[in-house]
Amino acid sequence: MHTFYYFLQSLPESMGLIALSLALAKVPLRWGRIVLGGVLISVVSYIIRALPVTFGLHMPVIIFILFMFINRLTDVKPSRTVLAVCASFFVLAVLEYLVSTAFFAITKMDPAEALANETLWSYVGLIQSTLLIVIAVLLSRFFKPVQGVWKK
């Protein structure tokens, strides 16, 4: 995938994963930190995917980075962090399935054809990333964040 299209999809997705994990852990959303964490995760993921290693290896690394990000920067218990991170990845997987299924049903496009079109597939990924961020913001309002959990 072309670098531009990778980051067009990866950066908002990473930010959404961080925001949703924080919202589920009842941590107030601080978008400056979320953006920085999203950049870190996107760059690390890009580097790992460019290496000659088994496809999918980037996922456990991202999970670990996200866990460490929340664990080091907040006072959230590690067990709660693990649950929030795992739940966020589950939500992402469900969104990816629902958005891609809806896309293929609406467009009647062949999946291989859609995947070959980097621009189009990046925009499909952007839709699920946007939904992930919207869910995070809504959950943050629903689950009242605990004040003072960000470390100084």
Side-chain angles (χ1 to χ4, degrees), residues 15 17 19 54 74 77 98 104 110 117 126 129 138 143 145 150:
M15 290 170 48
L17 281 170
T54 305
T74 71
K77 292 180 183 177
L98 293 175
F104 294 131
D110 178 56
N117 185 336
L126 201 54
S129 299
L138 292 175
F143 295 132
W150 282 102

Side-chain angles (χ1 to χ4, degrees), residues 2-55:
H2 188 270
T3 305
F4 172 76
Y5 294 116
Y6 177 80
F7 284 105
L8 178 68
Q9 187 268 330
S10 176
L11 183 58
E13 183 177 282
S14 298
M15 290 170 48
L17 281 170
I18 293 170
L20 185 56
S21 296
L22 291 170
L24 291 170
K26 297 185 177 181
V27 176
L29 302 180
R30 290 193 179 170
W31 289 102
R33 292 182 182 193
I34 292 170
V35 169
L36 290 175
V39 169
L40 172 68
I41 288 173
S42 291
V43 169
V44 170
S45 175
Y46 181 79
I47 291 169
I48 292 171
R49 290 178 73 169
L51 294 173
V53 295
T54 305
F55 182 76

Side-chain angles (χ1 to χ4, degrees), residues 6-17 19-20 31 92 95-96 99 121-136:
Y6 177 80
F7 284 105
L8 178 68
Q9 187 268 330
S10 176
L11 183 58
E13 183 177 282
S14 298
M15 290 170 48
L17 281 170
L20 185 56
W31 289 102
L92 175 62
L95 280 175
E96 285 183 353
V99 169
W121 199 242
S122 292
Y123 288 131
V124 172
L126 201 54
I127 293 169
Q128 68 199 26
S129 299
T130 302
L131 290 172
L132 196 63
I133 291 170
V134 168
I135 291 168

Side-chain angles (χ1 to χ4, degrees), residues 20-122:
L20 185 56
S21 296
L22 291 170
L24 291 170
K26 297 185 177 181
V27 176
L29 302 180
R30 290 193 179 170
W31 289 102
R33 292 182 182 193
I34 292 170
V35 169
L36 290 175
V39 169
L40 172 68
I41 288 173
S42 291
V43 169
V44 170
S45 175
Y46 181 79
I47 291 169
I48 292 171
R49 290 178 73 169
L51 294 173
V53 295
T54 305
F55 182 76
L57 179 65
H58 67 289
M59 292 304 291
V61 174
I62 292 170
I63 291 170
F64 178 74
I65 291 171
L66 185 50
F67 170 80
M68 293 304 294
F69 177 84
I70 295 172
N71 195 44
R72 295 285 184 201
L73 298 178
T74 71
D75 288 325
V76 176
K77 292 180 183 177
S79 58
R80 181 179 213 118
T81 302
V82 168
L83 288 173
V85 169
C86 290
S88 296
F89 273 90
F90 177 76
V91 170
L92 175 62
V94 169
L95 280 175
E96 285 183 353
Y97 173 76
L98 293 175
V99 169
S100 62
T101 301
F103 173 79
F104 294 131
I106 291 167
T107 64
K108 307 286 190 239
M109 232 178 162
D110 178 56
E113 181 185 347
L115 288 171
N117 185 336
E118 291 181 349
T119 305
L120 179 64
W121 199 242
S122 292

